[in-house]
Amino acid sequence: MTSPTQILDSHPRTEVRDGMLITWQLPIRMDDGVVLRADLFRPVGAAQVPVIMSYGCYAKGQAFQEAYAPQWNAMLEEFPEIAEGSTNRYQCWELTDPEQWVPHGYAVLRVDSRGAGWSPGVQDLWSAREIQDYCACIEWAGSQDWCNGSVGLLGISYYAANQWLAAAAQPRYLKAIIPWEGASDCYRELYHHGGIRCTFLDSWLPRQEAMQYGQGERSRRHPVTGEPCGGDVTLSEAELAAQRVDKRAEVKAHPLLDDYYRPVITDFDRVEVPLLSSANWGGQGLHLRGNLEGFTRSASAHKYLEVHGLEHWTHFYTRYGMDLQKRFFDCYLKGDPSGWARQPRVQLQVRHVDRFELRAENEWPLARTQWMRWYLDASDTRFAPDQPRGAGALRFSPEGDGLTFVSAPLAQRTEITGPLSARLHISSSTRDADIFVVLTMRDPDGSEVAFRGAMDAYTPLAQGWLRASHRGLDPVLSRPERPVHRHDRVEPLTPGEVVALEIEIWPTSIVVPAGYRLEFQVRGRDYVYSGPVDPQRNARHRYPSKGCGPFRHDDPDDRSHPDFNGVITLHTGGQFDSSVLLPVIPVAMP
């Protein structure tokens, strides 16, 4: 076994390949002596250029085509343009292709985060230590003689989430960020949806452990250098476990939003750099809310929003996505505004049943929104804009499929684009209840219409979650269309007593055709898609496509208590205005 000392004393190698000057395993020393490793791609013979940087745990040497072959193949089948103009030998999961950027006058710097790939140290994912390291790498890159003093951050998901936190730390060489579908509040958007523990970590963490520093000969090989992607140290399983924080155990030990989470919730008042925030309508569970919050709440005077659909990686690589990224960075890293001067503040791919339509807007939520309250009626399970004539109540069990309220066929085409919320009056036979709400749609034949989502082939229109004992609102952040809960205390229910819940539903966009029906589900467990399944469509995703992807809420340690298994009663009509606030966009006049 090679010792860690031998790795840290090894020298980086520089060579010219495929028209780029490449330095492999470049060392960047942290304040505590740990040396992180990076790969640097830059133009041959260029003096000083801006840097596009990433910092993350996916092992910078793993080939996209090998580690995520089904996703790569499906993406190229639909968008063959992605492979054009590049050898594609440097493609890496959720990172940009250096061959697309270096000829455009940029350096690309990929840093393995502490404890991942070729970077030693204790791995502590989504932590203050990572942000401290990230900022140190930004400062290091910006001060190098091959950099023009401008560093931009780019990457998807994990590589995006930490951008918000790094920007809030305000490193001096950071000049712009493009967080592409990444959370900005790890408690509300990743670990606990509505206070209910999400089990995404349980399926995601093992994949990251396979890319930990010290996997050595057990890891995949770099497609160009032939080196193992997990470093040239091969540690035992016990040694590897000792070099990583058990994030799952830590999260389970902190069910409330306490000081443990403060370092990974973005202080948007300190995010002042220019930003292009890119979200996904189908990113329910991770790839949507954080980008919209980042856009609306950041202090930056130069902030832009883009929202699209399809899988969470696809448009990052298409011509559509690359064009956005290059024009934005040219403006804010190179000082060339010519390609960005006419960019709208908000660019939406508005979702239809069979397509997306690009539309420019000025703000989010849209100023012309007509906020319409649609009511639930327990007497006939109707979902409609008029209030029920009388009071009613329906019971459901957390083990079943809950309650479904259905609208009449829509008389005319209706666009729903924006944040939405539910106000539900419930009682429980126990001292708590987990409430899951889902907005869905059915065509005139009665078939459910689901959409290709960020991480599931069959996502509904929108979803929301709330643990009833977490119903306390943050009075500063909450708005009618987007209630925000404190999650800092437990307020048990009194069995049989009715309480009002304001439930945040993550935003959506859909143009509902005339004749289609809207459905609103109130459940005690995760939504499950009920329609026909296309195996080829499922193959695009790494997780089972059942409607929620990996963002499930079925941790028995979190939900097995008898308090979460009581009979829940939904009260409607009369004094109980159980309803949904919908963002209806007026039809544009010809």
Side-chain angles (χ1 to χ4, degrees):
M1 181 178 75
T2 307
S3 71
T5 302
Q6 288 176 275
I7 283 190
L8 297 182
D9 290 342
S10 66
H11 296 288
R13 307 176 313 284
T14 300
E15 60 180 338
V16 174
R17 279 181 182 263
D18 299 308
M20 300 180 291
L21 186 64
I22 307 173
T23 302
W24 306 107
Q25 311 302 1
L26 188 64
I28 308 176
R29 186 174 296 275
M30 299 296 100
D31 64 320
D32 60 354
V34 169
V35 174
L36 306 184
R37 293 285 171 176
D39 290 341
L40 173 65
F41 307 82
R42 51 195 171 117
V44 177
Q48 293 182 322
V49 293
V51 178
I52 296 173
M53 180 179 158
S54 61
Y55 171 98
C57 62
Y58 288 138
K60 64 185 185 307
Q62 284 202 121
F64 191 155
Q65 300 94 316
E66 180 182 352
Y68 302 90
Q71 288 73 43
W72 174 261
N73 293 333
M75 185 171 64
L76 284 196
E77 182 179 355
E78 186 171 8
F79 296 98
E81 66 195 54
I82 291 171
E84 297 172 3
S86 172
T87 68
N88 295 294
R89 299 204 300 166
Y90 308 91
Q91 293 280 11
C92 194
W93 174 248
E94 297 187 339
L95 291 179
T96 195
D97 179 5
E99 289 186 275
Q100 298 286 0
W101 287 89
V102 171
H104 196 59
Y106 288 89
V108 173
L109 183 67
R110 295 173 170 173
V111 184
D112 279 332
S113 61
R114 181 179 295 240
W118 271 68
S119 293
V122 175
Q123 186 177 55
D124 188 3
L125 303 171
W126 280 303
S127 67
R129 178 71 247 190
E130 281 202 334
I131 302 309
Q132 185 177 344
D133 288 349
Y134 202 166
C135 291
C137 292
I138 293 169
E139 298 300 79
W140 177 87
S143 64
Q144 300 304 301
D145 57 9
W146 39 262
C147 176
N148 71 348
S150 294
V151 177
L153 308 182
L154 179 62
I156 311 172
S157 194
Y158 195 96
Y159 294 107
N162 281 348
Q163 290 185 41
W164 294 109
L165 296 164
Q170 299 184 342
R172 58 178 171 164
Y173 291 112
L174 181 60
K175 300 300 172 62
I177 62 173
I178 305 180
W180 197 277
E181 301 189 34
S184 58
D185 179 333
C186 280
Y187 182 91
R188 295 181 176 93
E189 298 161 10
L190 173 62
Y191 297 138
H192 296 88
H193 295 140
I196 309 168
R197 183 176 177 260
C198 176
T199 56
F200 172 62
L201 274 181
D202 303 10
S203 56
W204 180 81
L205 278 173
R207 294 175 179 270
Q208 312 333 305
E209 292 168 4
M211 294 178 267
Q212 187 181 350
Y213 173 80
Q215 287 287 358
E217 294 301 325
R218 291 189 294 267
S219 62
R220 291 185 176 87
R221 295 274 170 172
H222 193 291
V224 176
T225 68
E227 295 174 322
C229 299
D232 61 356
V233 168
T234 305
L235 302 178
S236 69
E237 292 298 332
E239 289 173 312
L240 287 169
Q243 288 296 304
R244 62 177 179 256
V245 171
D246 188 343
K247 187 61 64 173
R248 180 173 180 268
E250 287 194 346
V251 168
K252 287 169 74 74
H254 294 270
L256 295 178
L257 203 169
D258 56 20
D259 288 342
Y260 172 76
Y261 297 104
R262 307 290 177 195
V264 288
I265 296 177
T266 305
D267 181 354
F268 290 114
D269 290 339
R270 292 183 54 81
V271 178
E272 299 178 352
V273 296
L275 63 92
L276 169 60
S277 181
S278 186
N280 190 315
W281 298 123
Q284 300 155 22
L286 182 61
H287 298 96
L288 174 61
R289 182 188 189 274
N291 286 91
L292 295 166
E293 290 289 289
F295 171 75
T296 57
R297 294 174 57 194
S298 290
S300 173
H302 304 278
K303 56 183 181 179
Y304 298 85
L305 175 67
E306 184 276 337
V307 194
H308 54 267
L310 307 183
E311 298 76 22
H312 81 272
W313 54 86
T314 301
H315 273 308
F316 182 81
Y317 295 96
T318 63
R319 287 185 187 136
Y320 168 83
M322 288 293 297
D323 172 70
L324 278 170
Q325 297 160 27
K326 286 183 175 179
R327 289 190 291 110
F328 177 79
F329 275 155
D330 282 356
C331 180
Y332 292 107
L333 299 186
K334 286 185 174 181
D336 176 9
S338 59
W340 194 253
R342 296 186 179 181
Q343 177 67 24
R345 185 70 62 169
V346 174
Q347 179 169 305
L348 305 180
Q349 290 196 21
V350 177
R351 185 165 55 180
H352 292 248
V353 171
D354 57 351
R355 67 191 186 281
F356 294 89
E357 288 188 355
L358 197 63
R359 192 170 74 203
E361 298 288 351
N362 297 315
E363 69 288 307
W364 179 269
L366 307 187
R368 66 184 184 280
T369 303
Q370 293 178 352
W371 300 102
M372 297 186 63
R373 194 163 288 282
W374 280 42
Y375 294 88
L376 309 180
D377 189 342
S379 67
D380 57 4
T381 63
R382 189 164 54 102
F383 182 42
D386 50 311
Q387 298 189 40
R389 293 183 178 180
L394 289 172
R395 296 181 175 182
F396 64 96
S397 166
E399 288 81 20
D401 290 330
L403 309 174
T404 299
F405 297 83
V406 186
S407 77
L410 270 61
Q412 60 185 15
R413 188 181 72 168
T414 303
E415 179 182 340
I416 300 171
T417 295
L420 51 165
S421 64
R423 177 186 299 151
L424 302 183
H425 296 266
I426 67 114
S427 59
S428 174
S429 63
T430 59
R431 290 166 52 84
D432 212 339
D434 286 344
I435 304 297
F436 299 71
V437 295
V438 189
L439 183 66
T440 61
M441 186 171 72
R442 291 193 180 271
D443 66 19
D445 295 329
S447 298
E448 181 177 353
V449 180
F451 299 87
R452 282 169 58 184
M455 297 182 73
D456 194 297
Y458 301 99
T459 57
L461 292 177
Q463 299 188 66
W465 315 260
L466 184 63
R467 176 158 289 174
S469 61
H470 286 228
R471 61 189 178 277
L473 293 171
D474 183 320
V476 175
L477 295 179
S478 292
R479 299 193 302 268
E481 73 278 9
R482 193 218 57 195
V484 177
H485 299 85
R486 297 190 310 266
H487 299 298
D488 60 355
R489 68 198 70 176
V490 173
E491 300 176 69
L493 302 176
T494 299
E497 183 177 301
V498 180
V499 297
L501 307 180
E502 299 286 344
I503 303 177
E504 177 184 9
I505 303 174
W506 286 22
T508 191
S509 176
I510 182 64
V511 177
V512 185
Y516 281 59
R517 298 174 186 260
L518 291 175
E519 287 189 346
F520 192 75
Q521 299 181 21
V522 182
R523 308 167 58 92
R525 62 175 182 170
D526 282 308
Y527 159 82
V528 178
Y529 170 65
S530 63
V533 171
D534 178 358
Q536 186 173 3
R537 185 165 160 179
N538 279 3
R540 294 176 178 273
H541 296 273
R542 294 176 291 145
Y543 302 96
S545 284
K546 297 181 179 180
C548 295
F551 306 109
R552 300 193 60 80
H553 306 83
D554 51 7
D555 179 359
D557 295 333
D558 184 58
R559 301 200 65 210
S560 62
H561 192 278
D563 280 353
F564 301 109
N565 290 290
V567 175
I568 304 167
T569 303
L570 176 68
H571 303 264
T572 71
Q575 62 179 312
F576 304 121
D577 60 339
S578 292
S579 56
V580 181
L581 189 63
L582 296 177
V584 177
I585 308 303
V587 176
M589 299 301 292

